[in-house]
Amino acid sequence: MIEATAPTADDTVKKKSYHHGDLRNAIIHEATTRARSSGEKAIVLREIAPVIGVSATAAYRHFTNRQQLVEEVSARGFAAMGERVALPGVTGAESAPGLAAYLDLRNAGIAIVAFTVAEPAWARMMIETLGESPTVGFAASDVTDIMQQIVDRGIAAGIFRPGTRIRDQRVLWAGIDGLCSHAMFGLKPMGTPEADHATARTLDLCMTDMLTAEGLRVRDEATLPDGIATDLPS
């Protein structure tokens, strides 16, 4: 357990105790709050330590350097993104498993874009650290694993081409990454009805090469919403 003192509002000193693991989580929580507001540049251990009431020396016992903390915050960002991507699928999948798989993958793409719209500074940091860190890469792979499970369902239902691997779909990722760039860098207004329509249209176009002839027929005959689909189109 680590004990630290922190000044209270009335300048009295209050003792704060951290059990094993608590201090690390407190540091990550404060760093994440800063990243969500201002991105990577706001993560500075010597500034975070006094905010949570410990010395910089105590903070550095849990993170050998700043980059390690940045990677942990980025990894948690991908975990938060994965929670959106893994939301329950459309209802009624039993009656039309192929269309349901298509909509669930489309929903996953929309969820990634929506996360970036909601968290542009955090998402930018996540992308900037993705190629450099095994920790971040492992967390990001959890998101693509969820999407691959959807693709596998669609393959079994005859809507996606056999052997389709989501990691290899460069056209789809180009669409998703481009939309996310609009949010991260403020290139285009996002979160508007027009942007939602553009997002859905982009994903539909970018998923086309993944589809079988039956998949194209099923997709083109359906009336699809611009946002997250919760039910199969009637």
Side-chain angles (χ1 to χ4, degrees):
M1 182 175 70
I2 297 172
E3 291 186 347
T5 58
T8 61
D10 59 0
D11 293 328
T12 60
V13 174
K14 180 180 180 180
K15 181 175 287 187
K16 185 182 295 184
S17 297
Y18 290 99
H19 294 279
H20 179 70
D22 290 349
L23 177 55
R24 177 182 171 84
N25 288 330
I27 294 169
I28 294 171
H29 176 78
E30 176 62 24
T32 300
T33 299
R34 288 166 170 253
R36 294 176 69 181
S37 174
S38 304
E40 179 183 345
K41 68 180 184 295
I43 299 180
V44 182
L45 266 171
R46 66 177 180 275
E47 295 178 1
I48 291 172
V51 171
I52 61 176
V54 300
S55 67
T57 300
Y60 276 107
R61 292 194 187 107
H62 293 269
F63 297 94
T64 56
N65 54 53
R66 175 180 176 276
Q67 183 61 25
Q68 189 180 48
L69 178 56
V70 168
E71 292 174 6
E72 183 64 36
V73 173
S74 292
R76 295 203 176 193
F78 278 108
M81 178 185 287
E83 290 177 359
R84 289 187 179 230
V85 171
L87 289 175
V90 297
T91 60
E94 299 82 4
S95 62
L99 180 57
Y102 180 87
L103 287 172
D104 282 345
L105 187 62
R106 187 179 188 261
N107 284 347
I110 292 172
I112 291 172
V113 175
F115 174 88
T116 307
V117 171
E119 304 283 359
W122 198 6
R124 180 175 177 177
M125 186 183 80
M126 290 157 53
I127 293 300
E128 289 174 344
T129 56
L130 178 57
E132 304 173 354
S133 166
T135 298
V136 181
F138 184 79
S141 70
D142 286 344
V143 178
T144 52
D145 286 347
I146 295 168
M147 297 171 75
Q148 185 63 50
Q149 291 172 13
I150 299 170
V151 169
D152 291 344
R153 284 171 34 216
I155 293 173
I159 197 167
F160 291 129
R161 294 178 181 274
T164 296
R165 303 300 299 171
I166 195 67
R167 297 174 191 272
D168 299 332
Q169 302 308 306
R170 296 185 67 173
V171 173
L172 176 59
W173 288 113
I176 293 173
D177 292 345
L179 292 163
C180 289
S181 293
H182 289 175
M184 288 187 288
F185 299 102
L187 301 178
K188 297 287 184 181
M190 298 296 284
T192 65
E194 294 79 9
D196 291 345
H197 177 74
T199 296
R201 178 65 175 153
T202 298
L203 292 172
D204 285 331
L205 290 171
C206 291
M207 290 169 64
T208 297
D209 290 347
M210 301 169 59
L211 299 174
T212 61
E214 174 65 9
L216 286 169
R217 184 193 67 77
V218 169
R219 192 272 305 275
D220 293 345
E221 290 181 357
T223 301
L224 306 180
D226 284 343
I228 296 288
T230 56
D231 302 292
L232 290 175
S234 56

